[in-house]
Amino acid sequence: MFVVDDNRFFLESLVFLLNRQIDMDVAGTHDRIQGVLERIEAVKPDVIILDMRLPDGDGITLLQKIKSSFDIPVIMLTMYEEHKERAARAGAFAYLVKGEGLDRLYQLIRKATESFVNS
């Protein structure tokens, strides 16, 4: 799994919580758009968790770049509900608003992993 979020506290907390799950392992993180495709290529994750707003651009733009370069499910995890349809059109596997339960995120990650492994 690979997580992209510019909020260092949130990122480190999320990585900690994900790595506590028996069946999950965060292989890499990044906090901006620049350089992330190279990091994803190096790590080859089975799922990407992506924030909507990054300091150097828009998560939807990055989602489109990821989807055109890799066949990896991307879960958008953001504070903003209003971008859900745009994210779906751009190829997001799922869209989750920060503040929803962790169990929902775990469930989506497991579902995304299954879809990646079976594709």
Side-chain angles (χ1 to χ4, degrees):
M1 181 173 342
F2 194 92
V3 182
V4 183
D5 197 296
D6 64 324
N7 181 315
R8 177 60 56 198
F9 179 79
F10 180 81
L11 179 63
E12 290 178 10
S13 299
L14 183 59
V15 168
F16 174 80
L17 291 167
L18 293 170
N19 282 334
R20 289 184 51 110
Q21 297 296 301
I22 293 171
D23 58 342
M24 294 182 192
D25 178 43
V26 177
T29 65
H30 207 59
D31 62 356
R32 62 191 62 248
I33 291 174
Q34 185 169 353
V36 76
L37 295 178
E38 293 82 3
R39 299 278 309 273
I40 291 169
E41 176 66 36
V43 172
K44 297 186 181 5
D46 52 2
V47 176
I48 297 169
I49 298 173
L50 175 60
D51 191 11
M52 178 57 79
R53 295 207 176 144
L54 297 162
D56 58 346
D58 171 310
I60 298 289
T61 302
L62 179 54
L63 170 63
Q64 292 168 330
K65 290 177 183 179
I66 290 169
K67 296 308 290 180
S68 69
S69 301
F70 307 101
D71 185 25
I72 301 172
V74 177
I75 298 171
M76 300 298 295
L77 182 60
T78 180
M79 294 291 295
Y80 309 97
E81 290 185 33
E82 63 269 15
H83 302 289
K84 187 174 188 171
E85 290 170 21
R86 228 175 108 218
R89 284 194 305 270
F93 178 84
Y95 191 95
L96 190 64
V97 176
K98 291 177 181 174
E100 290 189 44
L102 265 175
D103 288 338
R104 179 73 178 132
L105 178 60
Y106 296 151
Q107 178 185 43
L108 288 170
I109 291 168
R110 290 181 177 109
K111 200 178 283 190
T113 301
E114 288 172 17
S115 77
F116 178 75
V117 170
N118 295 325
S119 64

